[in-house]
Amino acid sequence: MIVNKEGSGTETGSSSRPPVVDKAREEGQSGRDMAGNSIHRSGSRPQLDLSKAAIQGNFEERDPTILLPNQSDDISHLALDIGGSLIKLVYFSRREDRSNNDKRTKTLQEKLGISNGSRRSFPVLGGRLHFVKFETAKINECLEFISSKQLHCGGVDVCNGLLGAAANNNAVIKATGGGAYKFADLFKERLGVSLDKEDEMDCLVAGANFLLKAIRHEAFTHMEGQKEFVQMDDNDLFPYLLVNIGSGVSMIKVDGDGKFERISGTNVGGGTYWGLGKLLTKCKSFDELLELSQRGDNRTIDMLVGDIYGGTDYNKIGLSASTIASSFGKAISDQKELEDYSPEDISLSLLRMISYNIGQIAYLNALRFGIKRIFFGGFFIRGHAYTMDTISFAVHFWSKGEMQAMFLRHEGFLGALGAFMSYEKHGLDDLMVHQLVERFPMGAPYTGGKIHGPPLGDLNEKISWMEKFVLKGTEITAPVPMAPSGTTGLGGFEVPSSKGATLRSDASALNIGVLHLEPTLEVFPLLADLKTYEPNTIDLSDHNELEYWFTVLSDHMPDLVDKAVASEGGTDDAKRRGDAFARAFSAHLARLMEEPAAYGKLGLANLLELREECLREFHFVDVYRSIKQRENEASLAVLPDLLMELDSMSEETRLLTLIEGVLAANIFDWGSRACVELYHKGTIIEIYRMSRNKMQRPWRVDDFDIFKERMLGSGDKKSPPHKRALLFVDNSGADIVLGMLPLARELLRRGTEVVLVANSLPALNDVTAMEVPEIVAEAAKHCDILRRAAEAGGLLVDAMITNSDGSKENSSSVPLIVVANGCGSPCIDLRQVSSELAAAAMEADLIILEGMGRSLHTNFNARFRCDALKLAMVKNQRLAEKLIQGNIYDCVCRYEPAN
């Protein structure tokens, strides 16, 4: 296997025959150990060490936990890409196993046909992938960071043990880049570890392939300042051209995993821009040079087509007057010295000259090999909007609009990520896009929209930093610390030098969050077409729409903070955390207002989820806990009377009343300002009755008659019952107790299995899967239908039916089951749901999505392979106007038969 190690970022002139690398053909890969001996590599599947294996816990359990004391797969990995300017670090931190072995969970698994033994096995059972940058000139910061987190020996627990300390003498870290050779002795001296050098080009390609397959909003185009994300199709990804712009430029044709060829390159790259710029402008840094270009006007120094043709276009060959005919061309005829030209103009002219040429060469190579996709990355890009615009213009111009330049959000980490994947047991090969969740916690520290380093792990430390922030317009500043910190990513904290439309040197820094690996997440199997599914109904690419919803969230913040503090007893600690949450979430909003695409494609659901994640980050687990309990109790008190009223009705009248009840009860939503104002006008029962009395058909979206015909049939023809219905419940209190539970009861009465789908984690006053069984148990005390179904579904584990002779028997009723949906947001993205929900959906033929978050903010346009009913009361005037051309408190009853 031949690899050109000089070509990944630097081209020194005309090259010899381009090397070809085909790692896919190496089924039983071989490599070399530290001494150069051949070793066998078995691929990424885990190799279990079963020595001294023992069952942990009760031997009689059906699926006991097996402890493997000598298994090393769970040791956290670390990989480095040490370049001339920056060190990029990728490391994995484990998440403790949160398995639940209670009776209800085991019963649910049996009902759905799930067992631990049948689940897919992963070498990484949940954890986080972190991305950190350091300046190479401040490599001691990097070494201190690795040492403080004990990343070089698999985590603090391992290093603190005797076996870990002994093993540390032979510890190896995967590394790529020139610094892997330059600083090998320093790593050995300071950390006692050896650097296992991986080929740069191998790593670049491996990292790019993983990102394009695993991260949903990884690739994007950038034209005229507009960022647009491109969804990649795994089946149509290859071949593509990877253009890595470092000091020089390498162009790599990628044909598959481990299959690539360096087909071209140029010695005119980032080093050229920096070198010439330093000579011509006296700039001290690359970022300073980019900053100058933002304020430049290249027309003062470049010769344009209009300069040659008297200000007109050259239409015959399709050149506009503003096209650059010759970079720096005016310097020939102008009677000026270097100091007569503005450094800003020189910088911009240089940037355009180099970017245009790289874009043109990339296009020509793509044309030469029939490649449709071109991805650009490397040190030269730096998330700089104007650089990306210039490259994009060149590709668009030369291809006559047939090709687009694309960029990667994590492009600076391609090499480090590829080095990480070179570990035999990294486990990432098995992960799919729906098993990765990106989150954006506060960094260490957060300044000017920048994250320097990984999230702060200690809550008090994080709160202390948030308390020091001073907001000044759109600029967020923090004081410079008296002593350097070992957790910073760029060696100290600086006050940002720019804001607004001017350049931030690391404009893409906050684009990179923490990747949470959730192997148990799956795609909802009843989506009609996964490729066309888009959960968000409200697209925030429209600035006016974005500004409106930001205002809504900002206005709701004081009330939310008050509720959060109250939920923790109103202590001083809770007040500090509440204030820190408000500052942190406001900082997120300010960043997204400045660059809406900073965190990927932005929809309203993403904003709402970000708020909940931020609350949890500051340890506010369930803000509305006491309110939910109070409303549940009040609603359960009147449930028996409601059920008696329903039982006295005819089947047709009862069905209409049930749907009206769901819509009326959906008014209770603490996320809606209109609803919050209603709470001041009466009790929960009074508001519910008022809402019921106002139910008048036709509703704004009214498919009830179609749904009624499917449920009850028409004339003498009766419709068969659905086999299994999934009811996605929304709020606690009247919403679930007086709305969805009676509807579930009606379906059970008709012989339909019912699965109540609720949040895995709290969000606003939404009911959670942990809370639903208790609500059902209380309701079952007053209803035999619910009692038998709950017992059959394992919700009343210890209850048995008593026959007239006093004997016990199992229920023959269809079951009522509760499953967690896998998320903790008011909305739901059906591309990422729990394995339990995916299993429950396999035999479902009816879905009922209830509430604004799950049926309007998301999934209003979703299509399914089974019958679907979407029910909600609209509690926001803007949403009512935009979505259904209606008004606040209008109702939606949308029924869609199976596709």
Side-chain angles (χ1 to χ4, degrees), residues 308-458:
I308 301 173
Y309 289 92
T312 63
D313 300 337
Y314 190 175
N315 292 322
K316 186 174 181 180
I317 58 174
L319 296 178
S320 68
S322 61
T323 302
I324 298 175
S326 175
S327 295
F328 289 88
K330 284 184 179 175
I332 300 172
S333 55
D334 289 346
Q335 301 300 313
K336 295 180 179 179
E337 300 297 325
L338 177 60
E339 54 270 17
D340 296 325
Y341 290 99
S342 157
E344 290 84 354
D345 298 345
I346 292 173
S347 177
L348 180 58
S349 180
L350 266 177
L351 181 66
R352 283 195 155 186
M353 177 182 76
I354 292 167
S355 299
Y356 281 154
N357 276 275
I358 293 172
Q360 182 181 13
I361 295 171
Y363 158 70
L364 291 173
N365 276 285
L367 184 67
R368 172 187 168 201
F369 287 93
I371 299 172
K372 295 183 289 185
R373 283 165 292 278
I374 312 175
F375 297 99
F376 292 84
F379 174 78
F380 181 68
I381 303 292
R382 301 292 288 273
H384 186 205
Y386 198 81
T387 304
M388 293 187 286
D389 266 0
T390 307
I391 292 174
S392 297
F393 178 83
V395 172
H396 184 272
F397 177 84
W398 290 107
S399 70
K400 294 182 171 58
E402 293 182 3
M403 290 186 190
Q404 286 183 306
M406 287 185 279
F407 306 89
L408 303 176
R409 290 174 56 225
H410 292 78
E411 59 86 15
F413 290 92
L414 297 186
L417 189 53
F420 180 89
M421 296 184 70
S422 68
Y423 285 104
E424 291 183 34
K425 300 169 185 176
H426 57 76
L428 297 185
D429 285 343
D430 291 314
L431 290 172
M432 302 178 70
V433 62
H434 56 267
Q435 293 163 334
L436 288 161
V437 181
E438 190 172 18
R439 298 192 175 107
F440 298 87
M442 287 294 105
Y446 183 108
T447 62
K450 304 173 185 177
I451 283 185
H452 298 283
L456 287 167
D458 181 75

Side-chain angles (χ1 to χ4, degrees), residues 100 102 104-105 758-760 767-775 818 820:
N100 188 348
D102 63 28
R104 184 174 293 127
T105 301
N759 265 16
S760 297
V767 69
T768 68
M770 289 289 289
E771 298 163 342
V772 173
E774 184 177 345
I775 295 172
V818 177

Side-chain angles (χ1 to χ4, degrees), residues 632 665 729 731-742 756 767 772 775:
N632 287 339
V729 296
N731 304 304
S732 294
D735 199 356
I736 183 171
V737 176
L738 305 181
M740 291 299 276
L741 262 187
L756 298 177
V767 69
V772 173
I775 295 172

Side-chain angles (χ1 to χ4, degrees), residues 687-704:
I687 298 170
Y688 171 72
R689 287 172 178 160
M690 178 269 296
S691 182
R692 279 285 299 272
N693 292 334
K694 289 186 176 182
M695 282 288 129
Q696 292 184 352
R697 296 186 64 200
W699 302 311
R700 191 63 186 178
V701 177
D702 194 338
D703 294 336
F704 173 76

Side-chain angles (χ1 to χ4, degrees), residues 567-568 621-630 764 771:
S567 73
E568 297 288 326
V621 179
D622 192 352
V623 172
Y624 289 84
R625 180 174 54 243
S626 60
I627 295 173
K628 291 191 294 183
Q629 291 173 346
R630 186 168 64 247
L764 293 173
E771 298 163 342

Side-chain angles (χ1 to χ4, degrees), residues 480-518:
V480 177
M482 297 300 292
S485 168
T487 61
T488 64
L490 294 177
F493 319 139
E494 73 279 15
V495 174
S497 59
S498 61
K499 63 178 182 178
T502 57
L503 172 72
R504 289 188 318 276
S505 62
D506 61 344
S508 65
L510 198 58
N511 293 15
I512 299 172
V514 176
L515 282 181
H516 289 240
L517 281 59
E518 305 283 356

